[in-house]
Amino acid sequence: MAAPGGARRQPLLLLLLGLVHSASAVFVVKDGNGTACIMANFSAHFFTNYNTKSGSKNVTFDLPPKAEVLNSSSCGKENVSDSSLVIAFGKGNTLTLSFTRNATRYSVQMMSFVYNLSDTQFFPNASSKEVKTVTSATDIMADINKKYRCVSSNQIHMNSVTVTFHDTTIQAYLSNNTFSKEETRCAQDEHSPTVPPTPPHPSPTLAPESPAVHEYNVSGANGTCLLAKMGLQLNITYEKKDSTTVTGVFNINPNKTHVSGSCTAQKVTLALWSESSTSLVFKFGMNASSSRFFLEEIQFNRTLPDAKMPTFQAANSSLRALQATMGNSYKCNAEEHIQVTKAFSLNVFQVWVQAFQVEGDKFGSAEECQLDENNMLIPIAVGGALAGLVLIVLIAYLIGRKRSHAGYQTI
């Protein structure tokens, strides 16, 4: 059971000119003897979409400083129940991380978010007052007796909700009542040039260069139903024949990829397959009431000759990624990470996509992703600071000049 008041807070990171992530917090789950079994230190940013009387509304918010660990958190019982961390905030909103383990590794097998649309602090003017629940597998995993460490941002897509974790440290099944000194780095850090390489165990395949950006279009009887321009990179975690677990990173090569697809009134499908026994299928859906399209399903299949199970398969039909208003397009210059299953994720580079209502085979007005909007704030903040500095210097100069003239007036 979690110890009451098990959440402690400390500042995370102050960015340039006051641009900040939400404050990080340390969340601790303790057993009946007061011994810590789970510790987590992260900040989290939420993005979701809900209906109001005036139409669909996007909302973003950070995990608030007053978030706390609930007593429903658990250290689990061996062979009976798994460990869990339950974090509550606002009026009935909870974020739950459910852990599982084997002989060598532990992982956040499932993440769930329960949110109360009647909580006006986070969901103002919601037309529904219902409580909703979304869940997803995650790629958060580490070796036993090591902490999971991820400096990079990590997005978990849970149907209509996306949770982005920043500067994350998590450890379950603690052996010494605090974080271990040894760590397992996330796949995102392995791809980031700003993070010094740490010898991982199991060691992932060296990440290739960024994938080539290519256009993938789908047409039907009534014309084009999908315009897509993007670079695709695959992250696959699997067990090799020698029983070691590795993460392979593979780029989709457009020059060796065949494209097909289909258009219906409710579904747009893009299918890619290559000679390397790889197939990747994207399915876009739409919400008629909110007039929005989104990527709702990914199906993946690949042959891995060095794997203990050579045929690798993954699928998720409850995604809600790459979404925009019908008639508009979704655009993101920043790299996006889409978690499909615990063992498979997709990195999407310079994506620009539009499904269903495509006029004249051209992209509609672009709706920029949250990552691009955040990146724009830095040059704006720098420009504002420089403009302020120039103004201060100019005022000082004019005051000094006025005083100088006053000293030479005729008496």
Side-chain angles (χ1 to χ4, degrees):
M1 178 176 289
R8 297 183 285 110
R9 288 132 192 114
Q10 45 184 281
L12 170 64
L13 178 64
L14 184 64
L15 297 181
L16 180 65
L17 297 176
L19 185 64
V20 295
H21 287 314
S22 61
S24 69
V26 177
F27 301 101
V28 182
V29 179
K30 298 180 180 180
D31 62 19
N33 298 321
T35 303
C37 62
I38 300 173
M39 292 183 66
N41 183 4
F42 56 77
S43 63
H45 182 80
F46 295 78
F47 170 86
T48 188
N49 176 274
Y50 63 94
N51 292 325
T52 68
K53 292 182 179 179
S54 57
S56 178
K57 178 180 178 64
N58 292 332
V59 65
T60 62
F61 55 87
D62 295 321
L63 185 67
K66 293 184 178 180
E68 61 182 3
V69 176
L70 289 186
N71 286 334
S72 55
S73 300
S74 171
C75 292
K77 294 182 180 180
E78 189 171 0
N79 300 322
V80 177
S81 61
D82 293 326
S83 302
S84 62
L85 167 62
V86 185
I87 302 169
F89 62 93
K91 298 179 180 179
N93 307 299
T94 59
L95 179 68
T96 301
L97 282 67
S98 300
F99 295 85
T100 188
R101 64 178 293 177
N102 56 29
T104 59
R105 309 204 87 188
Y106 67 91
S107 65
V108 179
Q109 182 181 34
M110 190 66 61
M111 181 179 296
S112 64
F113 179 50
V114 178
Y115 58 106
N116 181 10
L117 290 174
S118 65
D119 188 345
T120 55
Q121 178 184 357
F122 300 101
F123 310 103
N125 303 317
S127 56
S128 171
K129 304 301 179 184
E130 64 183 314
V131 176
K132 292 193 172 185
T133 301
V134 290
T135 61
S136 176
T138 82
D139 63 346
I140 299 174
M141 62 180 67
D143 298 332
I144 293 292
N145 295 325
K146 290 185 181 181
K147 62 189 176 187
Y148 167 86
R149 186 76 178 102
C150 196
V151 177
S152 305
S153 297
N154 183 14
Q155 289 189 337
I156 308 297
H157 297 279
M158 297 183 289
N159 200 0
S160 59
V161 177
T162 298
V163 182
T164 304
F165 291 93
H166 303 280
D167 199 12
T168 304
T169 305
I170 296 175
Q171 188 170 355
Y173 310 101
L174 291 165
S175 58
N176 55 3
N177 215 33
T178 188
F179 286 123
S180 300
K181 292 183 178 180
E182 291 188 282
E183 62 186 29
T184 299
R185 283 282 186 175
C186 65
Q188 292 85 343
D189 281 358
E190 296 298 333
H191 301 157
S192 171
T194 61
V195 178
T198 301
H201 178 74
S203 56
T205 306
L206 292 176
E209 297 180 354
S210 297
V213 177
H214 188 71
E215 293 184 4
Y216 305 97
N217 300 336
V218 177
S219 298
N222 297 321
T224 301
C225 64
L226 178 71
L227 296 176
K229 187 176 182 181
M230 54 191 172
L232 299 170
Q233 189 174 78
L234 315 172
N235 306 295
I236 309 171
T237 301
Y238 63 97
E239 189 176 6
K240 298 178 69 175
K241 293 179 180 178
D242 61 3
S243 296
T244 60
T245 301
V246 298
T247 299
V249 183
F250 310 92
N251 288 341
I252 294 292
N253 184 349
N255 297 325
K256 297 182 179 181
T257 300
H258 304 280
V259 182
S260 67
S262 62
C263 308
T264 68
Q266 300 296 325
K267 191 88 66 180
V268 170
T269 301
L270 169 65
L272 309 177
W273 73 97
S274 67
E275 298 172 358
S276 60
S277 301
T278 298
S279 67
L280 181 62
V281 178
F282 300 87
K283 293 187 178 183
F284 291 83
M286 60 181 291
N287 186 324
S289 60
S290 63
S291 296
R292 295 180 68 80
F293 72 83
F294 50 89
L295 174 62
E296 68 174 359
E297 183 175 354
I298 289 179
Q299 298 174 357
F300 177 69
N301 188 302
R302 183 182 176 99
T303 300
L304 301 168
D306 62 337
K308 183 174 290 187
M309 300 289 290
T311 300
F312 180 92
Q313 295 179 323
N316 189 332
S317 60
S318 61
L319 300 172
R320 201 173 181 94
L322 314 183
Q323 59 176 309
T325 304
M326 299 285 286
N328 289 353
S329 58
Y330 175 89
K331 190 174 185 180
C332 195
N333 291 316
E335 176 186 346
E336 287 203 68
H337 183 78
I338 301 176
Q339 193 68 42
V340 181
T341 66
K342 183 170 64 175
F344 175 64
S345 62
L346 192 67
N347 298 329
V348 187
F349 294 75
Q350 299 180 38
V351 61
W352 195 3
V353 64
Q354 182 171 345
F356 297 102
Q357 296 179 8
V358 179
E359 299 293 337
D361 293 338
K362 295 181 180 179
F363 286 107
S365 299
E367 296 184 14
E368 301 286 342
C369 65
Q370 187 70 38
L371 292 172
D372 284 355
E373 291 178 1
N374 290 343
N375 291 338
M376 284 296 293
L377 291 177
I378 294 179
I380 291 173
V382 172
L386 292 176
L389 181 62
V390 170
L391 182 60
I392 291 171
V393 172
L394 180 60
I395 292 173
Y397 169 75
L398 293 174
I399 292 174
R401 183 176 179 183
K402 183 176 181 180
R403 288 178 177 175
S404 175
H405 280 248
Y408 287 97
Q409 289 179 355
T410 302
I411 299 177

